[in-house]
């Protein structure tokens, strides 16, 4: 069975980081091998705070080496990286991706370049953003930035669909083969907009923005996970893009219906296999 190494944060309660990513990929038929960069009691938007700590960068390399020692790294079809707790962890991820690709040249690396959002209480350590932009994003097969992260990577301001297309095109010239922008917030106040760009085409997907008292956390991690699992399962980049959008909207809709702000990954698990909703995929270039 195909495996995925997922290197990102973890919360004990709720769904963010690996807690948002692992189960959906398992539900889609993959073996998932999580490596945690930090472990917190809960995500950082709770007013009461959180408990927990980060892990040493060497843990990442050691765990990947351990998987190789038992002869299983060759079965890894994808490596995902998300929230990094230190710049040193970025270096360990780069080495681990190279190690994995030595054992399985067909493995893909999917980088979700979390650069922090102070408004949400998400802070990254010194040096993380630089390592993401200079090392991890250029070496990735797929990057999954939000609008801010894409602008930082490319040095381009985004205020229109045309701007977004041009920024994606520049990003593709910088190393990645696929760019999935998980939220283009400046394009519409009424619709949640995502974009996918490859060397062949550029696509846009829009869906309704749901009304939450507090915005759910871990949605970006979920998008990355479902998209990666779809690619590993053999879907084309554009079909995987549509599947991820439809499935994640279904999970958010179920979350809204039960009046929660922790995304209802378990309740809505059927969405990962057969999404309820069907949004049109628009080719913009």
């Amino acid at each position: 069975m195909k495996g995925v190494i997922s290197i990102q944060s973890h919360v004990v309660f709720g769904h963010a980081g690996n807690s948002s990513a692992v189960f959906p990929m398992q539900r889609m038929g993959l073996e998932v091998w999580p490596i945690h960069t930090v472990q917190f009691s809960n995500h950082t938007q709770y007013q009461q705070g959180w408990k927990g700590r980060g892990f040493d960068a060497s843990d990442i390399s050691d765990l990947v080496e351990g998987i190789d020692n038992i002869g299983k790294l060759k079965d890894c079809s994808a490596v995902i990286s998300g929230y990094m707790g230190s710049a040193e962890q970025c270096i360990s991820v780069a080495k681990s991706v190279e190690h994995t690709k030595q054992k399985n040249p067909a493995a893909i690396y999917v980088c979700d370049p979390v650069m922090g959002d102070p408004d949400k209480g998400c802070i990254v350590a010194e040096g993380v953003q630089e390592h993401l932009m200079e090392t991890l994003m250029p070496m990735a097969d797929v990057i999954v930035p939000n609008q801010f992260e894409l602008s930082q990577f490319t040095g381009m301001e985004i205020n229109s669909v045309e701007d977004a297309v041009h920024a994606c095109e520049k990003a593709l010239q910088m190393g990645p083969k696929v760019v999935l922008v998980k939220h283009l917030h400046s394009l519409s106040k009424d619709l949640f907009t995502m974009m996918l760009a490859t060397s062949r085409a550029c696509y846009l997907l829009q869906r309704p923005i749901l009304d939450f008292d507090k915005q759910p956390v871990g949605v970006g991690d979920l998008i990355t996970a479902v998209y990666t699992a779809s690619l590993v399962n053999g879907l084309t980049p554009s079909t995987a893009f549509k599947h991820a959008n439809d499935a994640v909207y279904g999970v958010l809709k179920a979350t809204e219906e039960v009046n929660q702000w922790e995304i209802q990954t378990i309740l809505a698990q059927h969405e990962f296999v057969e999404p309820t909703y069907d949004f049109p995929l628009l080719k913009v270039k």
Side-chain angles (χ1 to χ4, degrees):
M1 187 174 287
K2 296 177 179 178
V4 175
I5 294 175
S6 182
I7 308 171
Q8 50 188 316
S9 61
H10 172 76
V11 294
V12 176
F13 174 81
H15 299 283
N18 271 332
S19 304
S20 180
V22 172
F23 174 71
M25 291 191 285
Q26 291 172 329
R27 187 67 175 81
M28 294 174 71
L30 302 179
E31 289 286 349
V32 186
W33 309 328
I35 297 175
H36 305 327
T37 55
V38 302
Q39 178 165 270
F40 294 156
S41 55
N42 48 273
H43 68 64
T44 58
Q45 285 196 53
Y46 280 88
Q47 293 181 349
Q48 301 94 326
W50 67 92
K51 299 289 186 179
R53 66 180 181 90
F55 296 110
D56 291 337
S58 59
D59 291 345
I60 296 171
S61 301
D62 288 346
L63 292 170
V64 171
E65 182 178 347
I67 294 171
D68 189 25
N69 287 343
I70 60 173
K72 295 301 180 181
L73 199 58
K74 62 180 175 56
D75 298 325
C76 179
S77 297
V79 178
I80 295 173
S81 69
Y83 178 85
M84 295 290 110
S86 68
E88 291 76 17
Q89 286 184 339
C90 295
I91 298 171
S92 290
V93 167
K95 292 178 179 178
S96 296
V97 169
E98 291 171 350
H99 190 174
T100 302
K101 290 198 171 198
Q102 287 174 356
K103 297 299 179 176
N104 181 10
I108 61 171
Y109 170 40
V110 180
C111 176
D112 186 347
V114 180
M115 295 183 186
D117 186 340
D119 292 337
K120 292 185 177 181
C122 178
I123 306 297
V124 296
E126 183 177 354
V128 167
Q129 183 169 329
E130 290 76 12
H131 278 285
L132 287 170
M133 294 194 298
E134 296 170 10
T135 302
L136 295 185
M137 294 176 78
M139 71 182 291
D141 298 287
V142 180
I143 58 172
V144 192
N146 59 26
Q147 180 175 314
F148 168 76
E149 292 153 356
L150 179 62
S151 291
Q152 292 295 109
F153 185 47
T154 61
M156 299 177 68
E157 188 173 332
I158 299 171
N159 295 303
S160 66
V161 172
E162 291 76 14
D163 290 344
V165 171
H166 293 323
C168 286
E169 290 175 338
K170 182 173 181 180
L172 290 170
Q173 295 170 1
M174 298 169 71
K177 302 177 182 69
V178 177
V179 178
L180 192 170
V181 192
K182 59 192 173 189
H183 187 197
L184 286 163
H185 64 265
S186 68
L187 300 193
S188 174
K189 295 181 179 180
D190 302 316
L191 295 171
F192 187 96
T193 305
M194 298 202 298
M195 180 172 283
L196 179 81
T198 70
S199 60
R200 294 184 176 184
C202 190
Y203 302 92
L204 198 70
L205 273 168
Q206 293 184 306
R207 52 180 169 81
I209 294 177
L210 299 175
D211 185 22
F212 292 97
D213 291 336
K214 296 180 181 179
Q215 284 302 310
V217 174
V219 178
D221 307 319
L222 184 59
I223 292 169
T224 300
V226 177
Y227 184 71
T228 301
S230 298
L231 291 178
V232 172
N233 282 333
L235 298 186
T236 65
S238 59
T239 305
F241 179 48
K242 177 171 168 45
H243 181 86
N245 176 76
D246 294 348
V248 171
Y249 179 78
V251 174
L252 289 172
K253 188 66 177 173
T255 303
E256 180 194 47
E257 289 171 352
V258 295
N259 196 30
Q260 295 292 319
W261 73 313
E262 287 283 1
I263 51 178
Q264 297 298 297
T265 307
I266 308 304
L267 175 66
Q269 61 182 275
H270 58 280
E271 297 290 344
F272 305 126
V273 179
E274 189 173 353
T276 302
Y277 300 89
D278 182 9
F279 294 99
L281 182 67
L282 176 64
K283 187 175 181 180
V284 293
K285 186 167 183 181

